Amino acid sequence: MRSTDPARTEQVIALDDLYKEFTKEQLDPLWTQVGELMPVQPTPNARPHVWQWKTLLGLAERAGRLVPVGKAAERRAIALANPGLGGLPFATPTLWAAIQYLAPGETAPEHRHTQNALRFVAEGQGVWTVVDGDPVSMQRGDLLLTPGWHFHRHQNLTDSPMAWLDGLDIPFVQQTDSGFFAYGSDTLTDTSRPDRSRAERLWGHPGLQPVALLGERRSSPIAAYRWQHTDRALAEQLEIEREGHPATMGAGHAAVRFSNPTTGGDVMPTIRAEFHRLRAGAVSEPRREVGSSVWQVFEGSGSVLLSGIEHGLERGDLFVVPSWAEYELTSGDGLDLFRFSDAPIFEALDLFRTQVGRP
Amino acid sequence: MRSTDPARTEQVIALDDLYKEFTKEQLDPLWTQVGELMPVQPTPNARPHVWQWKTLLGLAERAGRLVPVGKAAERRAIALANPGLGGLPFATPTLWAAIQYLAPGETAPEHRHTQNALRFVAEGQGVWTVVDGDPVSMQRGDLLLTPGWHFHRHQNLTDSPMAWLDGLDIPFVQQTDSGFFAYGSDTLTDTSRPDRSRAERLWGHPGLQPVALLGERRSSPIAAYRWQHTDRALAEQLEIEREGHPATMGAGHAAVRFSNPTTGGDVMPTIRAEFHRLRAGAVSEPRREVGSSVWQVFEGSGSVLLSGIEHGLERGDLFVVPSWAEYELTSGDGLDLFRFSDAPIFEALDLFRTQVGRP
Amino acid sequence: MRSTDPARTEQVIALDDLYKEFTKEQLDPLWTQVGELMPVQPTPNARPHVWQWKTLLGLAERAGRLVPVGKAAERRAIALANPGLGGLPFATPTLWAAIQYLAPGETAPEHRHTQNALRFVAEGQGVWTVVDGDPVSMQRGDLLLTPGWHFHRHQNLTDSPMAWLDGLDIPFVQQTDSGFFAYGSDTLTDTSRPDRSRAERLWGHPGLQPVALLGERRSSPIAAYRWQHTDRALAEQLEIEREGHPATMGAGHAAVRFSNPTTGGDVMPTIRAEFHRLRAGAVSEPRREVGSSVWQVFEGSGSVLLSGIEHGLERGDLFVVPSWAEYELTSGDGLDLFRFSDAPIFEALDLFRTQVGRP
Amino acid sequence: MRSTDPARTEQVIALDDLYKEFTKEQLDPLWTQVGELMPVQPTPNARPHVWQWKTLLGLAERAGRLVPVGKAAERRAIALANPGLGGLPFATPTLWAAIQYLAPGETAPEHRHTQNALRFVAEGQGVWTVVDGDPVSMQRGDLLLTPGWHFHRHQNLTDSPMAWLDGLDIPFVQQTDSGFFAYGSDTLTDTSRPDRSRAERLWGHPGLQPVALLGERRSSPIAAYRWQHTDRALAEQLEIEREGHPATMGAGHAAVRFSNPTTGGDVMPTIRAEFHRLRAGAVSEPRREVGSSVWQVFEGSGSVLLSGIEHGLERGDLFVVPSWAEYELTSGDGLDLFRFSDAPIFEALDLFRTQVGRP
């Protein structure tokens, strides 16, 4: 229903003119959209979502038969595309997560980029990722790092294919126009297959630093965090809890954070990595955090309550928790989960908040 | 031209099926888009652009007559909408910049948000912005801060309208789903009109801190950086340059950074603020930086070469420099510029780079 | 009375032998002295003590007539020798404090040392201290800095003698064997008499930093903290207290800390400097701190209760507060005090404690 | 020979009077002693010195028969008394080093102090040091920490006596009057004999931190650095050197620094701890450092050139390097050394310097 009051009509016309003028002059009024621009709490477009490992792996194997890796294609990686992000290949507004697949004998060529990367191995083995000339073996349960601007290639030096999870800050870097990329050498220089990288042999001793290489680094120099250490640390937290001393995040809920030994902080400037273990039957406290995260079930089964909807979880399954979405984990007969998030971004910028329990 | 080789055809079909399956399963292959996702250097959508002050002010005055301020509308602010950002009201992917206008007697109501805000006064006076109960006068040349989560209202306590520049990190916070907002009190509690805020009286003495209020703060406690200090600091840099000692960024190019006296760092966690002065005829070195910035001419005239295109600059004009776009300033008979940028984000996350001169 | 029990006697002899052996082998048992080595709380040898300005000044003037300054003698400085420190020329175990005197036309020659130095001007003027080639005028009420390893000379360019307070960390550096010293140039290069040093003109603007000279520095780049700023900051704290807002350390007790604008921390790594003002009749809270300090009355009179003993205070008087000694200040008709201490040493090493009020 | 010039005589008398007056008024002139107070480089009173382990151990055993431990005596610790420090029980002006001895079944009672302490086990086992209720076993090659203000007792729960090296910052804390001490509980609460402390089980995994206990701590939470890790880290440095990659301080000279995993810095605010290994025949570069250190030979033999004098070294021998004294290590058929120093004090206060090689 339109106004017939002439003054009102005149004002409507004037306003209409004004808005047209705004558009013409590349301007936009705040007052028509302040609620959307500055909501009372985060209202992410990204949606909670679960991807099943068996589906991912099946598609990765098909891609392995159909799609080559090499210069230009660079990587046979299949990205999680959050259903709320309009078809973009992003797990969350800041994080990229993909299953990467390398057939026997294949090499993903050398390059480097300012984007920070991690790999988590849910199953399999046989690939060495060569970071700045240091070959790093990939084994089940390991977390591997490729911090920004380090050259890296991946080499499958065995007879079996291998798949793993890639985690990067590609969306964040793209959105903020802050990325650089460079191709590396075409020559395969090192096909040795050491169990442990030089990085681990120098830096992977608890509380010990090599005097010759001291100094604060923006990213962890530990190229690989091995499963045997992670597993043991989690097991000991649950034992110490049983002995009656503080050790766990909540009853039956152990967790370790992967850290940079030169600072005590996160492994990379934009990405946090953790491993969580819930003993059989344990339920985590409900929790909300600013920033988003990607989880992968490593072992066991259970469920996650995500913004009020329950999702069953099996080995290898991946799920995404958007910013400020509530999540609560329930363990079946034991549940081991790897997790990475963008929390360091918000902590660095004084934008981090967390809420534990229900208010 | 399609292949008629049956094997090739079969593979095309298989690949097609695979891509369909990806879409169905909320997946997206990296290999078809890696160049776009990880370019060799930043390729911002945001474009260099200049807005003329006289146009902005004229439209703000028209809005002043047509649009009320108050609850829900909150602020009569007209945002710069970068022509490369598809109609979004964002100056750059991270920064929001707007002209805000307040008529005599008007009050923009109290609220707070996690977004960080600054105000820069290119001309006029008469408004007091009340930050957590402390009235801060706004005068020509002043930089005012409203760091995240501080309550603030703006009150025009005079007979003249007033317009100023608002700078916030709204796009960054929105894109990363990290914002919170809350309404404040409806009651106008303090209509006093002090020349100097309590914040300045406590913190605005060079190198002096109040012992009773010591401690590191994430944002500067100096609510207002007054023009008289900025002007003097710039003038002295040029004098010291003339006396033959290091003081300026380049010949005839003085610059100060507004800083947090409790840390020595930037005024707010996501926003850097600076003031630049080029003496008559001076030309700055060409420069590129990761991250974007918004500049406003405060006094004088000249031009800016932005990604190779020259734009004339008059008093009050605003322009935007996207990430990694080259810019070079040329002073006519003197050029004073205020600038704010998102550089602290990239420095905190080890993503900052700068390039001075042409390679 | 000696034991006549043969076993006991035998043991005494054995112990005696053991102790002799210890001495011979450069060893010393803990068990005979643990209480002295590790007392329940600090038990300083240094004693609270007051030196009267008129006495100091009189002796300095006599020294001015009898003792030349120049190479080898370096400085005509008369140090406070704490009565508890066995004749050492140290105000406290860490701090050196002296009255330095320069007759008209005299120059104290250029040198540098890793010891950090400050000067406080209780009265007079006419000397320029030239720090790394930058002449810094000395005026009543000013605090001047000479951080470690900066070349400096003092030049009296007027017709009047001048005396001031020197504060250094000489005892700390000597005790820890960490000092280096070097002679400078013999040539008097700069006899200009500027009101303000280049350091102040670059760094002495509230919250502003020169972009060309940015970066964290271990000591403050502000060569001189001028009395006009200190005075104003203190006056405003007392006004704001009167207006009903937090500003002071206690009722009627204003205080500012001199700070390094590049870090927000103390002016030098080992020395803290503050200025305190008690309005007429005010009494400070009783206080104890780890570490020692030297105070000088700048203006007004009053008294200090030092470890339970009251001492009257007149303009210029100096007193020393040893570690963990309780002190309480009482203002007559107003009391202004400069203070420097070694607190940054203990804060940096996690050894600082303070106690306010009586337990 | 006295002057007979009357004017000269008069001046001598006047000066004499002045100096008497200085003494009376608790003053001391700088000009008569500046060279001593501010030498060109450190001139420590402490002297290089070597103590032989077999002598120390023999005397400790005798003390074990003659001197009880318990309340008041607190510890059966025999301190190295540097021959240059006038009989004080101090290894250096900042560091205390002692052999502590505990007979079967003995308990050194619980207390705490702000002084930081470490233990290094050159040989033997059987004692548990209980730190804040957490029993920490002591084994050959281990470094144990008791950071300031943690309660601790030592319990010998076996049939053999045990001796170890204690390292503390007692002299520094005493000299600066910054120490506090408190007795703990008289009751023996925990006689369990775990192989690994809870602290290690929570914190002793490479690069992993317990999420429930995160946060920066001033001292390392790792109560025990076990020999197996230290040994392996050193062995791998020498291997990597052999493979042609950077890893060692110099040819054949491996070294690890014990670090605080929550900061990447030193284990305690005032004490640095390192372990050095020289392969057979290796010679370290000559080196000088501000600050002092105490070394103990753990395994092997060789010699040290200390300020130009060579000293033979056998297993267990201790030696002290004063500030800025040059030292050079020569390995016989392999040399393993533990070392602790006061370097964190000087780094924190910007007083650290080091010189490698001969100028």
Side-chain angles (χ1 to χ4, degrees):
Chain A
M1 195 190 73
R2 303 226 155 198
S3 167
T4 53
D5 171 359
R8 177 90 182 96
T9 305
E10 196 178 319
Q11 207 204 357
V12 167
I13 292 167
L15 205 55
D16 210 49
D17 280 356
L18 181 64
Y19 287 177
K20 277 182 194 145
E21 202 73 18
F22 283 166
T23 304
K24 177 171 155 254
E25 298 292 346
Q26 290 295 142
L27 297 169
D28 213 337
L30 175 65
W31 55 85
T32 61
Q33 54 191 319
V34 65
E36 193 185 324
L37 285 178
M38 303 176 96
V40 166
Q41 63 180 48
T43 55
N45 290 323
R47 291 213 289 268
H49 195 77
V50 179
W51 288 258
Q52 289 183 306
W53 180 245
K54 60 177 184 244
T55 307
L56 289 176
L57 194 59
L59 291 170
E61 283 162 356
R62 281 169 62 183
R65 288 189 296 270
L66 295 168
V67 182
V69 285
K71 216 68 170 185
E74 296 291 312
R75 297 292 184 264
R76 191 189 291 110
I78 307 166
L80 309 189
N82 191 292
L85 294 177
L88 288 170
F90 300 161
T92 80
T94 55
L95 297 173
W96 196 84
I99 179 169
Q100 185 167 163
Y101 184 90
L102 215 50
E106 283 187 334
T107 293
E110 191 176 71
H111 62 209
R112 68 174 172 178
H113 39 72
T114 50
Q115 288 86 352
N116 294 289
L118 59 79
R119 335 269 165 215
F120 178 70
V121 185
E123 60 182 47
Q125 58 181 51
V127 169
W128 273 255
T129 178
V130 185
V131 180
D132 282 335
D134 184 17
V136 188
S137 75
M138 298 176 73
Q139 312 277 343
R140 174 167 154 76
D142 295 347
L143 168 68
L144 300 311
L145 301 184
T146 317
W149 215 235
H150 290 262
F151 278 114
H152 56 287
R153 63 154 51 89
H154 311 307
Q155 311 178 167
N156 188 335
L157 301 177
T158 65
D159 295 336
S160 313
M162 185 181 169
W164 65 85
L165 173 68
D166 274 344
L168 288 95
D169 52 13
I170 292 175
F172 178 79
V173 169
Q174 195 203 39
Q175 170 66 21
T176 57
D177 300 321
S178 53
F180 295 80
F181 177 97
Y183 292 106
S185 159
D186 283 332
T187 326
L188 204 68
T189 47
D190 191 338
T191 56
S192 64
R193 299 164 49 171
D195 282 346
R196 299 170 73 234
S197 58
R198 292 193 298 273
E200 292 162 85
R201 293 161 66 201
L202 288 167
W203 288 99
H205 310 278
L208 303 179
Q209 300 189 8
V211 174
L213 304 170
L214 288 173
E216 202 170 302
R217 301 172 184 215
R218 296 298 297 261
S219 291
S220 172
I222 304 180
Y225 293 76
R226 298 297 176 190
W227 172 241
Q228 68 181 106
H229 301 300
T230 306
D231 184 34
R232 189 175 182 189
L234 293 166
E236 296 204 296
Q237 284 186 20
L238 292 176
E239 273 171 37
I240 291 171
E241 181 191 85
R242 221 172 292 127
E243 297 163 14
H245 297 282
T248 53
M249 290 182 69
H253 181 181
V256 291
R257 183 169 297 169
F258 300 96
S259 75
N260 176 348
T262 73
T263 63
D266 282 295
V267 285
M268 297 186 291
T270 55
I271 301 185
R272 170 164 299 167
E274 294 178 349
F275 208 104
H276 290 245
R277 170 170 292 172
L278 284 85
R279 66 164 155 63
V283 181
S284 78
E285 288 179 290
R287 191 175 288 262
R288 305 207 283 183
E289 294 156 328
V290 164
S292 52
S293 56
V294 177
W295 296 70
Q296 183 171 25
V297 176
F298 178 66
E299 189 66 74
S301 61
S303 63
V304 61
L305 192 67
L306 261 172
S307 299
I309 294 170
E310 192 167 5
H311 304 265
L313 296 174
E314 299 298 329
R315 176 168 162 165
D317 289 354
L318 287 144
F319 62 93
V320 160
V321 183
S323 186
W324 213 237
E326 191 187 81
Y327 66 96
E328 183 187 278
L329 300 159
T330 299
S331 167
D333 48 358
L335 186 59
D336 272 14
L337 302 120
F338 172 73
R339 173 205 197 192
F340 69 97
S341 82
D342 56 8
I345 295 173
F346 303 104
E347 286 190 353
L349 304 176
D350 201 26
L351 291 167
F352 193 65
R353 291 193 188 189
T354 187
Q355 182 188 290
V356 182
R358 296 204 174 84
Chain B
M1 194 191 73
R2 302 226 157 198
S3 167
T4 53
D5 172 359
R8 177 88 182 100
T9 306
E10 196 178 319
Q11 207 205 356
V12 166
I13 291 167
L15 206 53
D16 210 50
D17 281 356
L18 181 64
Y19 287 176
K20 277 179 193 145
E21 202 74 18
F22 283 165
T23 304
K24 177 170 155 260
E25 298 292 346
Q26 292 293 144
L27 297 168
D28 213 337
L30 174 65
W31 54 84
T32 59
Q33 54 191 321
V34 64
E36 193 185 327
L37 285 178
M38 303 177 95
V40 167
Q41 64 179 49
T43 55
N45 290 323
R47 291 213 289 267
H49 195 77
V50 179
W51 287 259
Q52 288 183 308
W53 181 245
K54 61 177 186 248
T55 308
L56 289 174
L57 194 58
L59 290 170
E61 283 162 355
R62 281 169 60 184
R65 288 189 296 270
L66 294 168
V67 182
V69 285
K71 216 69 170 184
E74 296 293 310
R75 297 292 184 265
R76 191 189 292 110
I78 306 165
L80 310 189
N82 191 292
L85 294 176
L88 288 169
F90 299 161
T92 81
T94 55
L95 297 174
W96 196 83
I99 179 169
Q100 185 168 164
Y101 184 88
L102 215 50
E106 282 187 334
T107 293
E110 190 176 71
H111 62 209
R112 68 173 170 179
H113 39 70
T114 50
Q115 288 85 352
N116 294 289
L118 60 78
R119 335 269 165 214
F120 177 70
V121 185
E123 60 183 45
Q125 58 182 53
V127 170
W128 273 256
T129 178
V130 185
V131 180
D132 282 337
D134 185 17
V136 188
S137 76
M138 298 176 72
Q139 312 277 344
R140 173 166 155 78
D142 295 346
L143 168 68
L144 300 310
L145 302 183
T146 318
W149 215 234
H150 289 262
F151 278 114
H152 56 286
R153 62 154 49 91
H154 312 306
Q155 311 178 166
N156 188 334
L157 302 176
T158 64
D159 295 336
S160 313
M162 184 179 171
W164 66 86
L165 173 69
D166 274 345
L168 290 94
D169 53 12
I170 292 175
F172 179 80
V173 169
Q174 197 204 38
Q175 170 65 21
T176 56
D177 301 320
S178 53
F180 294 80
F181 177 96
Y183 291 106
S185 160
D186 284 332
T187 327
L188 205 69
T189 48
D190 191 338
T191 56
S192 65
R193 299 165 50 171
D195 281 347
R196 300 170 74 234
S197 59
R198 292 193 298 273
E200 292 163 86
R201 292 160 68 201
L202 288 167
W203 288 99
H205 310 277
L208 303 179
Q209 300 190 9
V211 173
L213 303 170
L214 288 173
E216 200 169 304
R217 301 172 182 214
R218 294 299 296 262
S219 291
S220 172
I222 304 180
Y225 294 76
R226 298 297 176 191
W227 172 241
Q228 69 181 106
H229 301 300
T230 306
D231 184 34
R232 189 173 181 190
L234 294 165
E236 298 204 297
Q237 284 186 20
L238 293 175
E239 273 171 37
I240 291 171
E241 181 192 85
R242 222 171 293 129
E243 297 164 13
H245 297 283
T248 53
M249 289 182 69
H253 181 180
V256 291
R257 183 169 298 169
F258 299 95
S259 74
N260 175 349
T262 74
T263 63
D266 281 295
V267 285
M268 297 185 291
T270 55
I271 301 184
R272 170 163 299 166
E274 294 178 350
F275 209 104
H276 290 245
R277 171 170 293 173
L278 284 85
R279 65 163 156 62
V283 181
S284 78
E285 288 179 289
R287 192 175 287 262
R288 305 207 284 181
E289 293 156 328
V290 164
S292 52
S293 56
V294 177
W295 296 71
Q296 184 171 23
V297 177
F298 177 66
E299 189 67 73
S301 61
S303 63
V304 60
L305 192 67
L306 259 171
S307 298
I309 295 170
E310 193 167 5
H311 304 263
L313 296 174
E314 299 298 329
R315 177 167 161 166
D317 290 353
L318 287 144
F319 61 94
V320 159
V321 183
S323 187
W324 214 237
E326 192 186 79
Y327 66 95
E328 184 188 275
L329 300 159
T330 299
S331 167
D333 47 0
L335 186 60
D336 272 13
L337 302 120
F338 171 73
R339 172 207 197 192
F340 68 98
S341 81
D342 56 8
I345 295 174
F346 303 104
E347 287 190 352
L349 303 176
D350 201 25
L351 292 166
F352 193 65
R353 291 192 188 188
T354 187
Q355 183 188 291
V356 182
R358 296 205 174 82
Chain C
M1 193 189 73
R2 302 231 159 195
S3 167
T4 53
D5 171 1
R8 177 89 182 98
T9 306
E10 195 178 318
Q11 206 205 358
V12 166
I13 291 168
L15 205 53
D16 210 49
D17 280 356
L18 181 64
Y19 286 175
K20 277 181 193 144
E21 203 73 18
F22 283 165
T23 303
K24 176 170 155 262
E25 299 292 346
Q26 290 295 143
L27 297 168
D28 213 337
L30 175 65
W31 55 83
T32 59
Q33 54 192 320
V34 65
E36 191 185 326
L37 284 179
M38 303 177 96
V40 167
Q41 63 180 48
T43 54
N45 290 322
R47 292 213 289 267
H49 195 77
V50 180
W51 288 259
Q52 289 183 309
W53 180 245
K54 59 175 187 248
T55 309
L56 288 175
L57 194 58
L59 291 168
E61 283 163 356
R62 280 169 61 183
R65 289 188 296 270
L66 294 168
V67 181
V69 283
K71 218 67 173 181
E74 297 291 312
R75 298 291 184 264
R76 191 190 290 111
I78 307 164
L80 310 189
N82 190 292
L85 294 178
L88 288 170
F90 299 160
T92 80
T94 55
L95 297 173
W96 195 82
I99 179 170
Q100 186 167 161
Y101 184 89
L102 215 51
E106 282 187 336
T107 293
E110 190 176 70
H111 62 208
R112 68 174 171 178
H113 39 70
T114 51
Q115 288 87 349
N116 294 290
L118 60 79
R119 336 268 164 215
F120 177 70
V121 184
E123 59 182 46
Q125 58 182 54
V127 169
W128 274 256
T129 177
V130 185
V131 180
D132 282 335
D134 184 17
V136 188
S137 75
M138 299 177 72
Q139 311 279 344
R140 172 165 156 77
D142 295 345
L143 168 68
L144 299 312
L145 301 183
T146 318
W149 217 233
H150 289 262
F151 278 114
H152 56 285
R153 60 154 52 88
H154 311 306
Q155 310 177 169
N156 189 334
L157 302 177
T158 65
D159 295 336
S160 313
M162 185 181 169
W164 65 87
L165 173 68
D166 274 344
L168 289 94
D169 52 14
I170 292 175
F172 179 80
V173 169
Q174 195 204 40
Q175 170 66 19
T176 57
D177 300 320
S178 53
F180 294 80
F181 177 98
Y183 292 106
S185 159
D186 282 333
T187 325
L188 206 68
T189 47
D190 190 338
T191 56
S192 65
R193 298 166 49 172
D195 282 347
R196 300 172 71 234
S197 59
R198 290 192 298 272
E200 293 162 85
R201 292 161 67 201
L202 288 168
W203 288 98
H205 310 277
L208 303 180
Q209 300 190 8
V211 174
L213 303 170
L214 289 173
E216 200 168 303
R217 301 171 182 215
R218 296 299 296 262
S219 291
S220 172
I222 304 180
Y225 293 75
R226 298 296 176 192
W227 172 241
Q228 69 181 105
H229 302 298
T230 306
D231 184 33
R232 189 173 182 192
L234 294 165
E236 297 204 294
Q237 283 187 20
L238 293 176
E239 274 170 39
I240 291 171
E241 180 190 85
R242 223 172 292 128
E243 296 164 15
H245 297 284
T248 53
M249 290 183 69
H253 181 181
V256 291
R257 182 169 298 168
F258 300 95
S259 75
N260 176 348
T262 74
T263 63
D266 282 295
V267 285
M268 297 185 292
T270 55
I271 301 184
R272 170 163 298 167
E274 293 179 349
F275 208 105
H276 291 245
R277 170 170 294 172
L278 284 85
R279 65 164 157 62
V283 182
S284 77
E285 287 179 291
R287 192 175 287 263
R288 305 208 283 182
E289 293 155 329
V290 164
S292 52
S293 55
V294 176
W295 296 70
Q296 183 168 27
V297 177
F298 178 65
E299 189 66 74
S301 61
S303 63
V304 59
L305 192 67
L306 259 172
S307 299
I309 295 169
E310 193 168 4
H311 305 264
L313 296 174
E314 299 297 329
R315 177 168 161 163
D317 289 354
L318 288 144
F319 62 93
V320 159
V321 182
S323 186
W324 213 238
E326 192 186 78
Y327 67 96
E328 184 188 276
L329 299 160
T330 298
S331 167
D333 48 1
L335 185 60
D336 273 12
L337 302 119
F338 171 73
R339 174 206 195 193
F340 69 97
S341 82
D342 56 7
I345 295 174
F346 302 105
E347 286 190 353
L349 304 175
D350 201 25
L351 291 166
F352 193 66
R353 290 192 190 190
T354 186
Q355 183 187 290
V356 183
R358 295 201 175 86
Chain D
M1 192 190 73
R2 302 226 159 201
S3 167
T4 53
D5 171 1
R8 176 89 183 102
T9 306
E10 196 177 317
Q11 206 205 358
V12 165
I13 291 168
L15 205 54
D16 209 48
D17 281 356
L18 181 65
Y19 287 175
K20 277 182 193 142
E21 201 74 18
F22 283 164
T23 304
K24 177 170 156 263
E25 298 292 346
Q26 291 295 145
L27 296 169
D28 212 338
L30 174 65
W31 56 84
T32 60
Q33 54 192 320
V34 65
E36 192 184 328
L37 285 178
M38 303 176 98
V40 167
Q41 63 180 51
T43 55
N45 290 324
R47 293 213 288 267
H49 195 78
V50 179
W51 288 259
Q52 289 183 307
W53 180 244
K54 59 177 187 245
T55 309
L56 288 175
L57 194 58
L59 291 170
E61 283 162 355
R62 280 169 62 183
R65 289 188 297 270
L66 294 167
V67 181
V69 283
K71 218 68 172 179
E74 296 291 312
R75 297 293 184 263
R76 190 189 291 111
I78 307 164
L80 310 189
N82 191 292
L85 294 178
L88 287 170
F90 298 161
T92 80
T94 55
L95 297 173
W96 195 83
I99 180 171
Q100 185 167 161
Y101 185 88
L102 214 51
E106 282 187 337
T107 292
E110 191 177 71
H111 62 209
R112 67 174 172 178
H113 39 71
T114 51
Q115 288 87 351
N116 294 290
L118 58 79
R119 336 270 165 212
F120 177 70
V121 184
E123 60 182 46
Q125 59 181 53
V127 169
W128 274 257
T129 178
V130 185
V131 180
D132 282 334
D134 184 17
V136 188
S137 75
M138 298 177 71
Q139 311 278 343
R140 171 166 157 78
D142 294 346
L143 168 68
L144 299 312
L145 301 184
T146 318
W149 216 233
H150 290 262
F151 279 115
H152 56 285
R153 62 153 51 88
H154 311 308
Q155 309 178 169
N156 189 333
L157 302 177
T158 65
D159 296 336
S160 314
M162 185 182 169
W164 66 86
L165 173 68
D166 274 345
L168 288 94
D169 53 13
I170 292 175
F172 178 79
V173 169
Q174 195 203 38
Q175 170 66 20
T176 57
D177 300 320
S178 53
F180 294 80
F181 177 97
Y183 291 106
S185 159
D186 282 334
T187 325
L188 206 68
T189 47
D190 190 337
T191 57
S192 64
R193 299 164 49 172
D195 282 347
R196 300 170 73 233
S197 59
R198 291 193 299 273
E200 292 162 84
R201 292 160 66 201
L202 288 167
W203 288 99
H205 310 278
L208 303 180
Q209 300 191 8
V211 174
L213 303 170
L214 289 172
E216 201 168 304
R217 301 171 183 216
R218 296 299 296 260
S219 291
S220 173
I222 304 180
Y225 293 76
R226 298 297 175 190
W227 172 240
Q228 68 180 105
H229 301 299
T230 306
D231 184 33
R232 190 174 179 190
L234 294 165
E236 296 204 296
Q237 283 186 20
L238 292 176
E239 274 170 39
I240 291 171
E241 179 190 87
R242 223 172 291 129
E243 297 163 14
H245 297 282
T248 53
M249 290 183 68
H253 181 182
V256 291
R257 183 169 298 169
F258 300 96
S259 75
N260 176 349
T262 74
T263 63
D266 282 295
V267 286
M268 297 186 292
T270 55
I271 301 184
R272 170 163 298 168
E274 293 178 350
F275 208 104
H276 290 243
R277 171 170 293 172
L278 284 86
R279 66 165 157 62
V283 181
S284 79
E285 287 178 291
R287 192 175 288 262
R288 305 208 283 182
E289 293 155 328
V290 164
S292 52
S293 56
V294 177
W295 297 70
Q296 183 170 27
V297 177
F298 178 66
E299 190 66 72
S301 62
S303 63
V304 60
L305 193 67
L306 261 172
S307 299
I309 295 169
E310 192 167 7
H311 305 264
L313 295 174
E314 299 298 328
R315 176 168 160 163
D317 290 354
L318 287 144
F319 62 93
V320 159
V321 183
S323 187
W324 213 238
E326 191 186 78
Y327 66 96
E328 182 187 276
L329 299 160
T330 298
S331 167
D333 48 1
L335 186 58
D336 272 12
L337 302 119
F338 171 73
R339 173 206 197 192
F340 69 97
S341 81
D342 56 8
I345 295 173
F346 303 104
E347 286 190 352
L349 304 176
D350 201 26
L351 292 166
F352 193 66
R353 290 193 190 190
T354 186
Q355 182 187 289
V356 182
R358 296 202 175 85

